[in-house]
Amino acid sequence: MPSNSHPVSLPARPVLTPLWTPEQIAKRVADLAAEIDQDYVSNPPVLVGALKGAFIFLADLVRAIQTPVEIEFMRLSSYDAGTASSGRVRISSSPEREAIEGRPVILIEDILDTGLTTSAALRHLRRKRPSSLTVCTLLDRPERRVVDVKADYAGFTFSGHFVVGYGLDYDQQYRGLPGIYALDAGAQHQ
Ligand code: IMP
Ligand code: MG
């Protein structure tokens, strides 16, 4: 797509600083998969991927898990654009009740930030009566939390930095980067 047809303006000169390499991510994903295998050994869970941001994490995680899991998706949006939270959470699709009722469910998230999205997702999933419900997030930024929600499994815990790559976006860009980067969106002022 020609750059002048993009509907929202991206930073003119974004600066991407590497935080975690693909190798470091793969190692953490393998660790998380091993933890999940251990915790759910006799009770295969349904993994519910939170779209869009968790799609790459879920794809790698599911290939590292040995337990025969099932996969569902739900579509959530909390950020309208850019790096500022809109504070609103929209759930535009979610698993059928039959897919998760009576089953152990793990919600797979890209990042736990204010916690608004995850707590809305958990409330929604709980109404469909899973036998248990836990959260596995690739990234956790607890300093930004405004509601009380915790990750049962977290890949990397950090502070500051708006991050992109490995599924995470800035205005729908950068999801395909294989590593995770801090985005300095203010770089156009330099
Ligand atoms: P929360 O509701 O504030 O916890 O936000 C969760 C959602 O906001 C995530 O699923 C992401 O889509 C988005 N988000 C929060 N922080 C970042 C970030 O640093 N980079 C990219 N997306 C983010
Ligand atoms: Mg996003």
Side-chain angles (χ1 to χ4, degrees):
M1 187 162 82
S3 60
N4 64 0
S5 68
H6 199 283
V8 287
S9 58
L10 290 168
R13 294 201 297 140
V15 174
L16 297 177
T17 309
L19 291 180
W20 295 286
T21 64
E23 293 72 25
Q24 290 171 316
I25 298 168
K27 173 79 179 66
R28 273 309 283 151
V29 170
D31 293 345
L32 292 172
E35 276 187 62
I36 289 171
D37 278 332
Q38 203 165 40
D39 294 351
Y40 291 84
V41 66
S42 55
N43 207 8
V46 181
L47 307 188
V48 178
L51 296 173
K52 303 176 195 169
F55 81 110
I56 292 179
F57 176 43
L58 177 63
D60 283 346
L61 187 67
V62 76
R63 283 178 289 181
I65 288 175
Q66 305 288 315
T67 309
V69 298
E70 291 173 30
I71 308 294
E72 294 285 335
F73 290 100
M74 69 193 292
R75 175 84 160 93
L76 302 153
S77 26
S78 65
Y79 281 21
D80 285 332
T83 59
S85 175
S86 69
R88 292 188 310 272
V89 178
R90 201 173 63 232
I91 299 176
S92 45
S93 79
S94 72
E96 300 290 335
R97 172 183 279 264
E98 301 72 56
I100 62 173
E101 188 168 27
R103 299 289 307 277
V105 167
I106 310 177
L107 175 63
I108 309 296
E109 282 278 17
D110 55 352
I111 182 167
L112 206 45
D113 189 36
T114 65
L116 289 166
T117 310
T118 305
S119 65
L122 290 173
R123 259 196 316 278
H124 183 90
L125 291 172
R126 221 171 264 127
R127 286 202 290 271
K128 300 188 184 189
R129 310 300 294 266
S131 60
S132 66
L133 184 56
T134 56
V135 178
C136 174
T137 188
L138 173 68
L139 300 173
D140 190 4
R141 188 163 44 205
E143 65 173 9
R144 295 246 312 160
R145 210 74 97 244
V146 300
V147 290
D148 183 24
V149 47
K150 289 187 184 62
D152 300 277
Y153 308 91
F156 302 102
T157 299
F158 71 112
S159 60
H161 309 305
F162 189 87
V163 298
V164 296
Y166 198 71
L168 290 110
D169 73 305
Y170 173 80
D171 281 358
Q172 303 306 324
Q173 299 298 302
Y174 307 116
R175 292 192 197 273
L177 295 175
I180 299 173
Y181 297 80
L183 174 75
D184 180 0
Q188 71 268 38
H189 301 304
Q190 287 173 359

PDB file of all heavy atoms in Angstrom, residues 162-182:
ATOM      1  N   PHE A 162       6.603   1.665  25.295  1.00  0.00           N
ATOM      2  CA  PHE A 162       5.584   1.087  24.427  1.00  0.00           C
ATOM      3  C   PHE A 162       6.310   0.118  23.507  1.00  0.00           C
ATOM      4  O   PHE A 162       7.347   0.457  22.936  1.00  0.00           O
ATOM      5  CB  PHE A 162       4.864   2.169  23.613  1.00  0.00           C
ATOM      6  CG  PHE A 162       3.677   1.629  22.881  1.00  0.00           C
ATOM      7  CD1 PHE A 162       2.443   1.563  23.502  1.00  0.00           C
ATOM      8  CD2 PHE A 162       3.800   1.169  21.576  1.00  0.00           C
ATOM      9  CE1 PHE A 162       1.334   1.036  22.834  1.00  0.00           C
ATOM     10  CE2 PHE A 162       2.704   0.648  20.905  1.00  0.00           C
ATOM     11  CZ  PHE A 162       1.462   0.582  21.539  1.00  0.00           C
ATOM     12  N   VAL A 163       5.796  -1.103  23.378  1.00  0.00           N
ATOM     13  CA  VAL A 163       6.537  -2.126  22.640  1.00  0.00           C
ATOM     14  C   VAL A 163       5.776  -2.595  21.401  1.00  0.00           C
ATOM     15  O   VAL A 163       4.538  -2.554  21.369  1.00  0.00           O
ATOM     16  CB  VAL A 163       6.877  -3.335  23.543  1.00  0.00           C
ATOM     17  CG1 VAL A 163       7.775  -2.909  24.689  1.00  0.00           C
ATOM     18  CG2 VAL A 163       5.618  -4.006  24.072  1.00  0.00           C
ATOM     19  N   VAL A 164       6.528  -3.027  20.416  1.00  0.00           N
ATOM     20  CA  VAL A 164       5.944  -3.557  19.173  1.00  0.00           C
ATOM     21  C   VAL A 164       6.697  -4.814  18.743  1.00  0.00           C
ATOM     22  O   VAL A 164       7.810  -5.066  19.192  1.00  0.00           O
ATOM     23  CB  VAL A 164       5.975  -2.521  18.020  1.00  0.00           C
ATOM     24  CG1 VAL A 164       5.117  -1.302  18.345  1.00  0.00           C
ATOM     25  CG2 VAL A 164       7.409  -2.106  17.681  1.00  0.00           C
ATOM     26  N   GLY A 165       6.067  -5.550  17.835  1.00  0.00           N
ATOM     27  CA  GLY A 165       6.683  -6.750  17.278  1.00  0.00           C
ATOM     28  C   GLY A 165       6.094  -8.011  17.887  1.00  0.00           C
ATOM     29  O   GLY A 165       5.385  -7.957  18.890  1.00  0.00           O
ATOM     30  N   TYR A 166       6.356  -9.150  17.253  1.00  0.00           N
ATOM     31  CA  TYR A 166       5.890 -10.452  17.730  1.00  0.00           C
ATOM     32  C   TYR A 166       4.367 -10.409  18.018  1.00  0.00           C
ATOM     33  O   TYR A 166       3.911 -10.884  19.039  1.00  0.00           O
ATOM     34  CB  TYR A 166       6.692 -10.870  18.964  1.00  0.00           C
ATOM     35  CG  TYR A 166       6.601 -12.351  19.287  1.00  0.00           C
ATOM     36  CD1 TYR A 166       7.231 -13.308  18.481  1.00  0.00           C
ATOM     37  CD2 TYR A 166       5.884 -12.795  20.385  1.00  0.00           C
ATOM     38  CE1 TYR A 166       7.135 -14.652  18.772  1.00  0.00           C
ATOM     39  CE2 TYR A 166       5.779 -14.155  20.686  1.00  0.00           C
ATOM     40  CZ  TYR A 166       6.407 -15.064  19.873  1.00  0.00           C
ATOM     41  OH  TYR A 166       6.313 -16.411  20.160  1.00  0.00           O
ATOM     42  N   GLY A 167       3.638  -9.775  17.124  1.00  0.00           N
ATOM     43  CA  GLY A 167       2.180  -9.700  17.251  1.00  0.00           C
ATOM     44  C   GLY A 167       1.672  -8.357  17.743  1.00  0.00           C
ATOM     45  O   GLY A 167       0.522  -7.995  17.495  1.00  0.00           O
ATOM     46  N   LEU A 168       2.531  -7.604  18.455  1.00  0.00           N
ATOM     47  CA  LEU A 168       2.072  -6.320  19.014  1.00  0.00           C
ATOM     48  C   LEU A 168       2.254  -5.199  18.006  1.00  0.00           C
ATOM     49  O   LEU A 168       3.245  -5.147  17.278  1.00  0.00           O
ATOM     50  CB  LEU A 168       2.842  -5.990  20.301  1.00  0.00           C
ATOM     51  CG  LEU A 168       2.480  -6.902  21.461  1.00  0.00           C
ATOM     52  CD1 LEU A 168       3.628  -7.822  21.795  1.00  0.00           C
ATOM     53  CD2 LEU A 168       2.067  -6.093  22.670  1.00  0.00           C
ATOM     54  N   ASP A 169       1.282  -4.293  18.007  1.00  0.00           N
ATOM     55  CA  ASP A 169       1.262  -3.257  16.988  1.00  0.00           C
ATOM     56  C   ASP A 169       1.367  -1.855  17.561  1.00  0.00           C
ATOM     57  O   ASP A 169       1.122  -1.602  18.747  1.00  0.00           O
ATOM     58  CB  ASP A 169      -0.061  -3.317  16.214  1.00  0.00           C
ATOM     59  CG  ASP A 169      -1.243  -2.799  17.045  1.00  0.00           C
ATOM     60  OD1 ASP A 169      -1.450  -3.312  18.161  1.00  0.00           O
ATOM     61  OD2 ASP A 169      -1.917  -1.848  16.596  1.00  0.00           O
ATOM     62  N   TYR A 170       1.696  -0.926  16.667  1.00  0.00           N
ATOM     63  CA  TYR A 170       1.425   0.499  16.863  1.00  0.00           C
ATOM     64  C   TYR A 170       0.636   0.921  15.638  1.00  0.00           C
ATOM     65  O   TYR A 170       1.141   0.820  14.501  1.00  0.00           O
ATOM     66  CB  TYR A 170       2.725   1.305  16.969  1.00  0.00           C
ATOM     67  CG  TYR A 170       2.474   2.800  17.000  1.00  0.00           C
ATOM     68  CD1 TYR A 170       2.090   3.422  18.175  1.00  0.00           C
ATOM     69  CD2 TYR A 170       2.584   3.571  15.843  1.00  0.00           C
ATOM     70  CE1 TYR A 170       1.839   4.785  18.200  1.00  0.00           C
ATOM     71  CE2 TYR A 170       2.333   4.930  15.860  1.00  0.00           C
ATOM     72  CZ  TYR A 170       1.957   5.530  17.043  1.00  0.00           C
ATOM     73  OH  TYR A 170       1.697   6.877  17.064  1.00  0.00           O
ATOM     74  N   ASP A 171      -0.621   1.326  15.824  1.00  0.00           N
ATOM     75  CA  ASP A 171      -1.496   1.652  14.685  1.00  0.00           C
ATOM     76  C   ASP A 171      -1.471   0.567  13.613  1.00  0.00           C
ATOM     77  O   ASP A 171      -1.366   0.850  12.420  1.00  0.00           O
ATOM     78  CB  ASP A 171      -1.105   3.001  14.072  1.00  0.00           C
ATOM     79  CG  ASP A 171      -1.642   4.163  14.893  1.00  0.00           C
ATOM     80  OD1 ASP A 171      -2.333   3.911  15.907  1.00  0.00           O
ATOM     81  OD2 ASP A 171      -1.368   5.313  14.521  1.00  0.00           O
ATOM     82  N   GLN A 172      -1.570  -0.673  14.046  1.00  0.00           N
ATOM     83  CA  GLN A 172      -1.634  -1.860  13.169  1.00  0.00           C
ATOM     84  C   GLN A 172      -0.329  -2.167  12.440  1.00  0.00           C
ATOM     85  O   GLN A 172      -0.300  -3.079  11.603  1.00  0.00           O
ATOM     86  CB  GLN A 172      -2.795  -1.757  12.152  1.00  0.00           C
ATOM     87  CG  GLN A 172      -4.160  -1.556  12.802  1.00  0.00           C
ATOM     88  CD  GLN A 172      -4.484  -2.622  13.847  1.00  0.00           C
ATOM     89  OE1 GLN A 172      -4.127  -3.789  13.686  1.00  0.00           O
ATOM     90  NE2 GLN A 172      -5.154  -2.230  14.927  1.00  0.00           N
ATOM     91  N   GLN A 173       0.733  -1.471  12.782  1.00  0.00           N
ATOM     92  CA  GLN A 173       2.021  -1.727  12.141  1.00  0.00           C
ATOM     93  C   GLN A 173       2.930  -2.534  13.079  1.00  0.00           C
ATOM     94  O   GLN A 173       2.730  -2.537  14.285  1.00  0.00           O
ATOM     95  CB  GLN A 173       2.715  -0.408  11.788  1.00  0.00           C
ATOM     96  CG  GLN A 173       1.914   0.436  10.820  1.00  0.00           C
ATOM     97  CD  GLN A 173       1.699  -0.258   9.484  1.00  0.00           C
ATOM     98  OE1 GLN A 173       2.648  -0.624   8.800  1.00  0.00           O
ATOM     99  NE2 GLN A 173       0.446  -0.465   9.113  1.00  0.00           N
ATOM    100  N   TYR A 174       3.921  -3.149  12.496  1.00  0.00           N
ATOM    101  CA  TYR A 174       5.033  -3.824  13.201  1.00  0.00           C
ATOM    102  C   TYR A 174       4.700  -5.199  13.773  1.00  0.00           C
ATOM    103  O   TYR A 174       5.542  -5.808  14.425  1.00  0.00           O
ATOM    104  CB  TYR A 174       5.595  -2.957  14.350  1.00  0.00           C
ATOM    105  CG  TYR A 174       5.993  -1.559  13.964  1.00  0.00           C
ATOM    106  CD1 TYR A 174       5.332  -0.459  14.497  1.00  0.00           C
ATOM    107  CD2 TYR A 174       7.027  -1.337  13.061  1.00  0.00           C
ATOM    108  CE1 TYR A 174       5.694   0.832  14.165  1.00  0.00           C
ATOM    109  CE2 TYR A 174       7.398  -0.054  12.714  1.00  0.00           C
ATOM    110  CZ  TYR A 174       6.723   1.033  13.261  1.00  0.00           C
ATOM    111  OH  TYR A 174       7.091   2.307  12.930  1.00  0.00           O
ATOM    112  N   ARG A 175       3.478  -5.716  13.560  1.00  0.00           N
ATOM    113  CA  ARG A 175       3.136  -7.004  14.177  1.00  0.00           C
ATOM    114  C   ARG A 175       4.054  -8.127  13.718  1.00  0.00           C
ATOM    115  O   ARG A 175       4.271  -9.092  14.429  1.00  0.00           O
ATOM    116  CB  ARG A 175       1.684  -7.388  13.851  1.00  0.00           C
ATOM    117  CG  ARG A 175       0.628  -6.499  14.484  1.00  0.00           C
ATOM    118  CD  ARG A 175      -0.749  -7.161  14.339  1.00  0.00           C
ATOM    119  NE  ARG A 175      -1.849  -6.230  14.546  1.00  0.00           N
ATOM    120  CZ  ARG A 175      -2.378  -5.934  15.734  1.00  0.00           C
ATOM    121  NH1 ARG A 175      -1.891  -6.481  16.824  1.00  0.00           N
ATOM    122  NH2 ARG A 175      -3.391  -5.092  15.828  1.00  0.00           N
ATOM    123  N   GLY A 176       4.573  -8.033  12.499  1.00  0.00           N
ATOM    124  CA  GLY A 176       5.356  -9.117  11.918  1.00  0.00           C
ATOM    125  C   GLY A 176       6.825  -9.149  12.312  1.00  0.00           C
ATOM    126  O   GLY A 176       7.538 -10.080  11.939  1.00  0.00           O
ATOM    127  N   LEU A 177       7.278  -8.176  13.077  1.00  0.00           N
ATOM    128  CA  LEU A 177       8.688  -8.212  13.499  1.00  0.00           C
ATOM    129  C   LEU A 177       8.922  -9.438  14.382  1.00  0.00           C
ATOM    130  O   LEU A 177       8.149  -9.680  15.305  1.00  0.00           O
ATOM    131  CB  LEU A 177       9.044  -6.945  14.288  1.00  0.00           C
ATOM    132  CG  LEU A 177       9.005  -5.617  13.522  1.00  0.00           C
ATOM    133  CD1 LEU A 177       9.259  -4.458  14.486  1.00  0.00           C
ATOM    134  CD2 LEU A 177      10.031  -5.630  12.399  1.00  0.00           C
ATOM    135  N   PRO A 178       9.982 -10.194  14.124  1.00  0.00           N
ATOM    136  CA  PRO A 178      10.178 -11.434  14.889  1.00  0.00           C
ATOM    137  C   PRO A 178      10.655 -11.218  16.325  1.00  0.00           C
ATOM    138  O   PRO A 178      10.484 -12.084  17.173  1.00  0.00           O
ATOM    139  CB  PRO A 178      11.230 -12.195  14.082  1.00  0.00           C
ATOM    140  CG  PRO A 178      11.911 -11.168  13.250  1.00  0.00           C
ATOM    141  CD  PRO A 178      10.925 -10.065  13.001  1.00  0.00           C
ATOM    142  N   GLY A 179      11.236 -10.045  16.608  1.00  0.00           N
ATOM    143  CA  GLY A 179      11.637  -9.717  17.979  1.00  0.00           C
ATOM    144  C   GLY A 179      10.672  -8.710  18.577  1.00  0.00           C
ATOM    145  O   GLY A 179       9.704  -8.295  17.939  1.00  0.00           O
ATOM    146  N   ILE A 180      10.944  -8.312  19.831  1.00  0.00           N
ATOM    147  CA  ILE A 180      10.124  -7.285  20.490  1.00  0.00           C
ATOM    148  C   ILE A 180      10.990  -6.045  20.692  1.00  0.00           C
ATOM    149  O   ILE A 180      12.138  -6.142  21.158  1.00  0.00           O
ATOM    150  CB  ILE A 180       9.570  -7.791  21.834  1.00  0.00           C
ATOM    151  CG1 ILE A 180       8.675  -9.020  21.591  1.00  0.00           C
ATOM    152  CG2 ILE A 180       8.780  -6.687  22.550  1.00  0.00           C
ATOM    153  CD1 ILE A 180       8.215  -9.701  22.859  1.00  0.00           C
ATOM    154  N   TYR A 181      10.432  -4.887  20.328  1.00  0.00           N
ATOM    155  CA  TYR A 181      11.168  -3.626  20.320  1.00  0.00           C
ATOM    156  C   TYR A 181      10.432  -2.561  21.120  1.00  0.00           C
ATOM    157  O   TYR A 181       9.198  -2.526  21.125  1.00  0.00           O
ATOM    158  CB  TYR A 181      11.302  -3.103  18.883  1.00  0.00           C
ATOM    159  CG  TYR A 181      12.099  -4.003  17.979  1.00  0.00           C
ATOM    160  CD1 TYR A 181      11.503  -5.127  17.409  1.00  0.00           C
ATOM    161  CD2 TYR A 181      13.438  -3.739  17.703  1.00  0.00           C
ATOM    162  CE1 TYR A 181      12.236  -5.980  16.586  1.00  0.00           C
ATOM    163  CE2 TYR A 181      14.173  -4.574  16.875  1.00  0.00           C
ATOM    164  CZ  TYR A 181      13.565  -5.697  16.327  1.00  0.00           C
ATOM    165  OH  TYR A 181      14.293  -6.522  15.519  1.00  0.00           O
ATOM    166  N   ALA A 182      11.186  -1.664  21.746  1.00  0.00           N
ATOM    167  CA  ALA A 182      10.603  -0.446  22.307  1.00  0.00           C
ATOM    168  C   ALA A 182      10.446   0.538  21.157  1.00  0.00           C
ATOM    169  O   ALA A 182      11.362   0.708  20.350  1.00  0.00           O
ATOM    170  CB  ALA A 182      11.520   0.126  23.371  1.00  0.00           C
TER     171      ALA A 182
END
